């Protein structure tokens, strides 16, 4: 039996039908991802499934006794509350029942309270909270309002998971999470034993988590088994078939229009049924909701800058005794598309400001290019005035905007970003999260720039807009700095990655060619080589025998025969300690190179040469030590 069933649901916002006779059912153990355009009604559907809103028409059936827990995009927290207090809010019913039982109020049916407590396993709710906090690596004494956005997301998830609901509903759970946290969340949700419904536009995360894709498209719900990659293949086939069907329909309608406009003789003899059929076709054509158009993205590339954007040589920067960037070197040229990757709070913004010349390093040298025109995309949308209209946000005080050598009316420009002319004078505060991101992109692209800085541009954007933004950035001939935890988006845009690897050395950053997947492969190779080098060095050190000591005098009764060394063998034996020491020094030097950052700026051939030689030394050392032992024993 389905946990939740939605039947013939209707929901409209103004004249737009968000749900049009929609059906949906959720089975236990499913992980369903809802996708669709911004403004299509995904969040409204999730709230209906959570029981927080009701459809205009239709029926929602929930299996008796199941618990649903909804986590919004921006969770609300009690001001000043600790992590423990906040997470325990997920057990509000359990806490209330135990308090009632412990008060021994005669007005309460204590038997019923006790039965319900036992059913909810509520006698040890504190232990459940502590176990959940330990699992999610949260400090119970921390104050929630002082935490980062990513840690607040963890607290909200802990508050939901501690309740152990049968149905977990998540709206954009990956927002504000870094790459490691997203991987951690994917593993957590795969282990979740209940049913899951979530909204996300992170395509890599969809592939990791979902077992079914639910697309909300023009008021209709369409279900596709499998992950996002499987959905893409099925959707492409569907859209092709829909286009062919619409073309046939339009051709038939055109033929009927020609027939009804024939001369008087034809009109006298025309069939009443055929006229009725034409009217029906016209009505169907008017009612047909075609696929929503795509955002049209253009960008003013600004004046041409110099070839050099920035050159950093051994720069170091820290604050309050904490090193954020240490001894980092790189050269960035016009047209480079750089992704900055690392956990929240490790110094990505600090490094970026140094690259752009807005912040001077504590040590090292920094040289920036000439005529840099920088445009920013701010993930917090702080540049948007919530009281301003859409038109004023794009072009204050003018009805026209200049993009490169072309001039465009602000209404037409807003239409390129799927904003209807009627909404041009609406305030920014009336927009959804995805619509605000679209407006921010429109504002960004209307400014002349040869350097784009995009800080989490993918939050709340629908998948189609993400793909179009990828195409625009790929064709953009300026320089792009991208801070994003959407690995699919990063992989499709950047030419190289500057990654934080400060787990063992504070402020350590390293540059890699390619995207996130390439970085992960190269990082794993580096770590494997370093581990192997350390093991080989330890093995070599342990294998070196102590200096030879004088042999004890042989017992007179049993003298041990010795073979005298030849002149050549004696000379070889005398030279062996120096040769072994030289090889050990060479191996230590190569191990330091492999463990540092300089080697990885010298090209693949040099990296291969160093790692191959490092591995070969171990075999040479072993052979020399065996030879030394054999000669010494004689």
């Amino acid at each position: 039996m389905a946990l939740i069933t939605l039947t013939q649901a209707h929901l409209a916002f103004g004249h737009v039908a968000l749900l049009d006779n929609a059906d949906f059912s959720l089975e236990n153990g499913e992980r369903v991802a809802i996708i669709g355009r911004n403004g299509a009604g995904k969040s409204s559907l999730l709230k209906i499934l959570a029981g927080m809103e009701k459809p205009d028409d239709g029926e929602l059936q929930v299996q008796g006794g199941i618990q649903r827990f909804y986590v919004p995009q921006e969770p609300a927290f009690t001001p000043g509350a600790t992590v423990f207090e906040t997470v325990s809010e997920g057990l509000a019913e359990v806490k209330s029942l135990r308090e009632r039982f412990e008060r021994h109020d005669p007005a309460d049916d204590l038997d019923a309270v006790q039965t319900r407590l036992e059913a909810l396993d509520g006698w040890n709710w504190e232990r459940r909270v502590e176990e959940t906090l330990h699992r999610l690596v949260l400090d119970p004494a921390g104050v929630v309002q002082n935490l980062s956005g990513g840690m607040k997301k963890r607290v909200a998830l802990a508050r939901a998971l501690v309740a152990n609901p049968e149905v977990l509903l998540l709206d954009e759970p990956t927002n504000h999470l870094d790459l490691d946290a997203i991987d951690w969340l994917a593993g957590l949700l795969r282990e979740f034993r209940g049913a899951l419904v979530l909204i996300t536009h992170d395509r890599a995360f969809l592939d990791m988590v979902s077992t079914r894709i639910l697309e909300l498209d023009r008021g209709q719900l369409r279900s596709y088994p499998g992950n996002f990659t499987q959905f893409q293949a099925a959707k492409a086939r569907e859209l092709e078939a829909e286009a062919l069907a619409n073309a046939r329909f339009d051709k038939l309608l055109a033929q009927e229009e020609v027939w009804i406009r024939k001369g008087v003789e034809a009109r006298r003899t025309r069939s009443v049924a055929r006229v009725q059929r034409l009217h029906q076709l016209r009505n169907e054509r008017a009612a047909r909701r075609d696929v929503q158009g795509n955002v049209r993205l253009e960008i003013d590339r600004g004046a041409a800058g110099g070839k050099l954007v920035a050159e950093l040589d051994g720069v170091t920067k820290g604050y309050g005794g904490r090193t954020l960037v240490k001894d980092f070197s790189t050269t960035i040229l016009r047209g480079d598309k750089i992704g900055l990757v690392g956990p929240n709070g490790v110094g990505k913004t600090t490094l970026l400001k140094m690259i752009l010349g807005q912040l001077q390093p504590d040590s090292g040298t920094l040289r920036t290019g000439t005529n840099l025109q920088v445009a920013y995309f701010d993930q917090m949308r702080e540049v948007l005035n919530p009281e301003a209209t859409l038109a004023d946000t794009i072009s204050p005080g003018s009805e026209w905007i200049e993009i490169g050598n072309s001039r465009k009316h602000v209404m037409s420009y807003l239409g390129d970003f799927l904003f209807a002319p009627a909404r041009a004078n609406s305030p920014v505060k009336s927009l959804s999260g995805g619509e605000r991101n679209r407006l921010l992109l429109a504002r960004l692209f209307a400014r002349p720039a040869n350097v784009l800085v995009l800080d989490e541009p993918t939050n709340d954007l629908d998948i189609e807009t993400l793909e179009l933004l990828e195409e625009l950035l790929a064709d953009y001939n300026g320089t792009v700095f991208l801070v994003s935890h959407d690995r699919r988006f990063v992989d499709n845009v950047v030419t190289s990655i500057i990654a934080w690897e400060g787990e063992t050395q504070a402020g350590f950053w390293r540059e890699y060619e390619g995207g996130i997947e390439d970085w992960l492969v190269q990082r794993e190779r580096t770590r494997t080589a370093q581990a192997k080098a350390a093991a080989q060095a330890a093995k070599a050190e342990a294998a070196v025998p102590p200096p030879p000591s004088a042999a004890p005098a042989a017992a007179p009764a049993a003298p041990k025969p010795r073979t005298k060394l030849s002149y050549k063998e004696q000379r070889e034996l005398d030279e062996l300690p120096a040769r072994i020491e030289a090889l050990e020094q060479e191996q230590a030097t190569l191990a330091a190179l492999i463990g540092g950052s300089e080697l990885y700026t010298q090209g693949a051939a040099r990296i291969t040469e160093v790692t191959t030689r490092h591995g070969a030394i171990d075999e040479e050392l072993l052979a020399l030590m065996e030879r030394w032992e054999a000669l010494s024993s004689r």
Side-chain angles (χ1 to χ4, degrees):
M1 180 179 177
L3 299 177
I4 298 177
T5 304
L6 184 66
T7 307
Q8 297 181 349
H10 292 265
L11 180 68
F13 182 77
H15 66 283
V16 178
L18 301 179
L19 295 177
D20 188 3
N21 201 34
D23 296 320
F24 169 68
S25 64
L26 178 68
E27 301 290 339
N28 188 37
E30 282 194 299
R31 298 191 297 271
V32 179
I34 304 174
I35 66 171
R37 283 293 183 86
N38 293 137
K42 301 186 298 297
S43 293
S44 297
L45 172 60
L46 197 66
K47 289 177 181 178
I48 289 173
L49 298 177
M52 301 173 64
E53 293 183 2
K54 293 184 178 180
D56 297 334
D57 195 10
E59 184 180 5
L60 178 70
Q61 293 180 321
V62 181
Q63 191 181 120
I66 73 162
Q67 185 177 9
R68 296 167 286 174
F69 209 108
Y70 168 76
V71 181
Q73 288 189 45
E74 302 296 337
F77 303 103
T78 303
T82 66
V83 171
F84 185 91
E85 293 167 344
T86 302
V87 172
S88 65
E89 292 172 2
L91 295 170
E93 181 187 1
V94 169
K95 291 168 64 180
S96 174
L97 287 169
R98 206 173 83 175
E99 287 172 4
R100 286 170 57 190
F101 186 84
E102 291 172 350
R103 281 199 309 264
H104 299 290
D105 190 338
D108 277 333
D109 183 349
L110 294 183
D111 287 338
V113 171
Q114 181 178 359
T115 300
R116 181 61 177 162
L117 261 175
E118 291 173 350
L120 294 175
D121 189 23
W123 295 111
N124 299 306
W125 67 262
E126 295 93 343
R127 177 181 53 79
R128 286 171 60 182
V129 174
E130 290 168 358
E131 288 177 352
T132 303
L133 293 178
H134 178 73
R135 184 182 178 195
L136 273 64
V137 196
L138 290 168
D139 178 12
V143 178
V144 177
Q145 65 189 35
N146 297 335
L147 300 179
S148 66
M151 294 307 291
K152 286 180 179 177
K153 278 282 188 179
R154 288 198 182 212
V155 173
L157 285 166
R159 184 168 56 182
L161 292 172
V162 75
N164 195 25
E166 286 84 0
V167 179
L168 183 60
L169 304 113
L170 307 176
D171 195 349
E172 295 288 359
T174 62
N175 282 4
H176 310 302
L177 296 185
D178 57 47
L179 285 170
D180 290 337
I182 289 173
D183 288 341
W184 162 84
L185 177 60
L188 184 73
L189 295 181
R190 285 196 298 266
E191 294 173 0
F192 180 62
R193 288 177 294 180
L196 171 70
V197 184
L198 74 153
I199 297 171
T200 182
H201 300 123
D202 188 324
R203 292 158 289 179
F205 186 74
L206 285 171
D207 276 344
M208 288 189 284
V209 172
S210 62
T211 59
R212 178 157 64 111
I213 299 293
L214 188 69
E215 184 190 32
L216 179 53
D217 180 24
R218 292 163 283 168
Q220 301 297 312
L221 285 174
R222 297 182 178 89
S223 180
Y224 301 83
N227 59 21
F228 182 74
T229 299
Q230 293 166 316
F231 156 79
Q232 279 184 307
K235 189 63 180 178
R237 294 190 295 267
E238 272 190 15
L239 288 175
E240 184 179 354
E242 182 179 354
L244 289 172
N246 286 344
R248 295 190 191 100
F249 181 95
D250 292 341
K251 181 178 180 181
L252 177 60
L253 176 58
Q255 291 172 344
E256 293 299 300
E257 292 284 5
V258 169
W259 171 82
I260 203 169
R261 286 175 173 79
K262 284 184 178 179
V264 176
E265 181 178 353
R267 287 199 296 273
R268 286 175 182 166
T269 58
R270 68 189 179 203
S271 165
V272 174
R274 192 168 182 180
V275 174
Q276 290 176 343
R277 179 189 178 199
L278 174 61
H279 288 307
Q280 182 181 356
L281 287 172
R282 286 175 175 171
N283 291 335
E284 289 178 9
R285 181 63 182 86
R288 191 173 81 202
R289 298 174 65 186
D290 292 324
V291 176
Q292 186 180 1
N294 286 328
V295 178
R296 295 179 57 194
L297 299 179
E298 297 178 75
I299 188 166
D300 188 341
R301 288 167 171 80
K307 183 177 181 181
L308 177 71
V309 174
E311 185 178 48
L312 290 77
D313 185 10
V315 298
T316 296
K317 186 69 179 179
Y319 288 103
R322 181 187 175 200
T323 302
L324 298 178
V325 181
K326 183 177 181 180
D327 195 25
F328 178 68
S329 302
T330 188
T331 300
I332 297 172
L333 304 178
R334 184 182 65 221
D336 286 348
K337 298 175 176 64
I338 312 294
L340 278 80
V341 176
N344 296 323
V346 297
K348 294 191 294 290
T349 302
T350 298
L351 177 57
L352 187 54
K353 285 183 177 179
M354 280 199 294
I355 292 173
L356 297 175
Q358 300 171 354
L359 197 63
Q360 291 301 311
D362 297 335
S363 62
T365 58
L366 166 65
R367 186 161 66 101
T368 56
T370 58
N371 197 26
L372 298 183
Q373 294 177 297
V374 184
Y376 288 88
F377 181 98
D378 175 25
Q379 66 162 320
M380 303 309 293
R381 310 187 191 104
E382 293 176 353
V383 297
L384 294 179
N385 178 2
E387 302 299 329
T389 66
L390 275 61
D392 285 341
T393 299
I394 298 300
S395 182
S398 174
E399 294 184 355
W400 299 89
I401 59 172
E402 305 284 342
I403 301 180
N405 297 322
S406 63
R407 193 164 182 255
K408 183 173 287 190
H409 196 276
V410 67
M411 297 291 187
S412 174
Y413 186 72
L414 284 170
D416 290 345
F417 288 82
L418 302 183
F419 292 111
R423 302 189 67 186
N425 293 317
S426 300
V428 171
K429 63 184 179 183
S430 67
L431 302 180
S432 68
E435 289 173 328
R436 291 192 188 196
N437 263 19
R438 281 214 312 268
L439 181 66
L440 198 55
L441 286 173
R443 185 181 186 276
L444 174 76
F445 293 162
R447 305 290 192 269
N450 52 33
V451 176
L452 291 181
V453 179
L454 305 176
D455 187 0
E456 293 293 352
T458 64
N459 286 352
D460 302 323
L461 288 183
D462 58 55
I463 291 169
E464 289 86 351
T465 305
L466 284 178
E467 291 172 346
L468 288 164
L469 182 57
E470 288 171 358
E471 293 178 11
L472 174 78
L473 295 176
D475 295 336
Y476 177 58
N477 58 12
T479 305
V480 176
F481 294 97
L482 175 62
V483 179
S484 176
H485 300 124
D486 185 329
R487 66 178 61 195
R488 189 74 58 84
F489 183 81
V490 174
D491 283 345
N492 292 342
V493 170
V494 305
T495 56
S496 63
I497 291 288
I498 297 178
W500 178 85
E501 296 185 350
E503 298 92 344
T504 56
Q505 181 181 349
F508 182 55
W509 295 80
R510 178 179 287 165
E511 187 169 8
Y512 294 86
E513 294 299 318
I516 288 177
E517 294 300 327
D518 301 297
W519 161 58
L520 293 174
V521 171
Q522 294 175 71
R523 183 181 67 172
E524 187 59 32
R525 286 176 182 167
T526 301
R527 290 178 174 176
T528 301
Q530 290 173 343
K532 184 178 179 181
Q536 289 173 342
K539 180 180 178 182
E541 184 177 352
V544 176
S549 57
K560 185 177 181 180
R562 292 177 58 87
T563 305
K564 186 177 179 181
L565 296 176
S566 67
Y567 173 80
K568 184 176 180 181
E569 288 174 330
Q570 184 62 50
R571 185 176 178 181
E572 181 185 2
L573 177 62
D574 294 340
E575 292 175 349
L576 277 175
R579 292 174 62 187
I580 290 173
E581 184 179 358
L583 280 176
E584 288 175 342
Q585 290 178 351
E586 182 184 0
Q587 189 177 52
T589 301
L590 294 178
L593 274 175
I594 293 172
S597 59
E598 182 180 354
L599 173 65
Y600 301 92
T601 65
Q602 299 176 5
R606 174 61 176 160
I607 296 171
T608 303
E609 177 189 352
V610 170
T611 54
T612 302
R613 175 57 185 159
H614 185 275
I617 288 176
D618 196 43
E619 297 179 4
E620 292 181 23
L621 276 172
L622 183 60
L624 289 178
M625 289 175 185
E626 289 176 347
R627 180 63 175 163
W628 182 86
E629 185 178 1
L631 292 175
S632 297
S633 65
R634 291 168 56 190

